[in-house]
Amino acid sequence: MNEYFVYIMSNQSRTLYIGVTNDLERRVLEHKSKLIKGFTSSYNLTMLAWYDSFSDINQAIECEKKIKGWRRSKKVTLIEEQNPRWEDLAENWQL
């Protein structure tokens, strides 16, 4: 069974990036290592603030688009429901 993830990366100043992937560990490592030039590397978005998993890619993409359309305050509420201290959820992963 395949698994897909919608995730939010952040930094110390709480800039947000929402993405979707089929390999969360690999994708977080790419963000943390700044392997792919772009928004996340430019803004040093190396902290995994939130994620959710789906068994259907279409549901994951739909969720990603929905969250991207939200106001910032709603995104912050989503993060703080799971991660009230804004800790890096991938900090102890063996990446």
Side-chain angles (χ1 to χ4, degrees):
M1 179 168 104
N2 292 330
E3 193 169 20
Y4 305 93
F5 300 89
V6 177
Y7 64 95
I8 301 176
M9 297 296 294
S10 189
N11 60 12
Q12 244 182 345
S13 63
R14 296 189 176 173
T15 302
L16 303 177
Y17 171 84
I18 296 106
V20 66
T21 184
N22 67 344
D23 187 338
L24 187 60
E25 288 185 12
R26 173 192 49 81
R27 192 67 178 116
V28 168
L29 176 62
E30 290 172 351
H31 289 303
K32 286 180 175 284
S33 303
K34 300 180 178 94
L35 292 175
I36 299 173
K37 300 297 176 205
F39 185 81
T40 59
S41 62
S42 295
Y43 287 88
N44 197 35
L45 303 180
T46 59
M47 182 190 87
L48 179 62
W50 177 90
Y51 67 93
D52 198 1
S53 63
F54 299 84
S55 58
D56 181 298
I57 185 61
N58 294 314
Q59 289 177 328
I61 292 169
E62 182 179 322
C63 178
E64 177 198 27
K65 288 179 180 180
K66 179 176 74 171
I67 293 171
K68 283 183 174 183
W70 289 353
R71 291 172 310 182
R72 178 180 173 78
S73 61
K74 192 168 181 178
K75 295 172 190 175
V76 167
T77 298
L78 177 69
I79 292 167
E80 291 181 346
E81 286 173 352
Q82 178 181 333
N83 188 3
R85 290 190 219 117
W86 287 74
E87 297 172 329
D88 183 357
L89 300 175
E91 183 175 34
N92 295 319
W93 292 5
Q94 300 298 317
L95 300 175

